[in-house]
Amino acid sequence: KEKRLLSLVGQVPTKVTTINGQIKTGDLLVTSSVPGHAMRADPKKLGFGMIIGKALEPFSGGPKGETKGKILVLVNLQ
């Protein structure tokens, strides 16, 4: 049986994608169309409860042009 981890608060390694642009430290992150990945939020389209957390490090893609990676995110779901 496969186990899945759940984090509600703290610094959490999170899978991200650059679908909505490069992620900078401090950007708000929301769910993306890529299952299991977060993306940079568009502040104009944010609604209540959409934010997953805040990026604690940047991600602009991998060294070989990858659009997916993993960064630390400050999560504080309420």
Side-chain angles (χ1 to χ4, degrees), residues 17-77:
T17 179
T18 57
I19 284 178
N20 208 23
Q22 296 181 358
I23 297 170
K24 298 177 185 158
T25 301
D27 279 348
L28 297 176
L29 302 177
V30 296
T31 58
S32 76
S33 59
V34 178
H37 288 69
M39 68 179 182
R40 184 176 63 85
D42 180 347
K44 296 175 187 175
K45 297 180 181 178
L46 280 178
F48 180 76
M50 293 176 65
I51 298 171
I52 294 172
K54 187 176 281 192
L56 294 177
E57 51 191 352
F59 181 74
S60 58
K64 297 179 183 176
E66 298 93 346
T67 59
K68 298 179 205 170
K70 191 181 280 189
I71 62 170
L72 274 180
V73 173
L74 179 62
V75 173
N76 188 12
L77 298 177

